[in-house]
Amino acid sequence: MSFNKEQKEAISHGQGPCMVLAPPGSGKTLVVTQRTKFLIEQMNIPAENILVITFTRYAAREMRDRFHAMTKGKQYPVTFGTFHSVFYGILKN
């Protein structure tokens, strides 16, 4: 896959949080899923410590499905969800 300079920076960003803000169709989902894979496989971040939050259920499902497809069956316990579902889970617990 070919990424532009900004996408490469977002994928390989080392320490601390990284916000990906871009218009529709610019590759955000691909960048976020690649970054998640990078954090686990290159930065040795435990998958259960990664939380990916988005606005819609569709986007969360799409990221989760793409992530599982690109990790070729490895069962990484990354949490993908919407703001509402994640915060509801926090409040419920």
Side-chain angles (χ1 to χ4, degrees), residues 17-70:
C18 176
M19 182 187 303
V20 176
L21 199 60
S26 60
K28 290 182 301 295
T29 300
L30 180 60
V31 167
V32 170
T33 54
Q34 285 287 342
R35 174 163 171 71
T36 303
K37 183 178 178 209
F38 174 82
L39 289 172
I40 295 166
E41 295 180 353
Q42 303 297 318
M43 300 292 292
N44 299 312
I45 304 296
E48 58 273 8
N49 290 355
I50 298 175
L51 172 62
V52 181
I53 299 178
T54 187
F55 288 101
T56 67
R57 285 184 299 205
Y58 177 82
R61 195 174 315 118
E62 181 74 16
M63 279 193 266
R64 183 192 64 226
D65 293 347
R66 285 191 194 186
F67 177 74
H68 288 306
M70 83 172 47

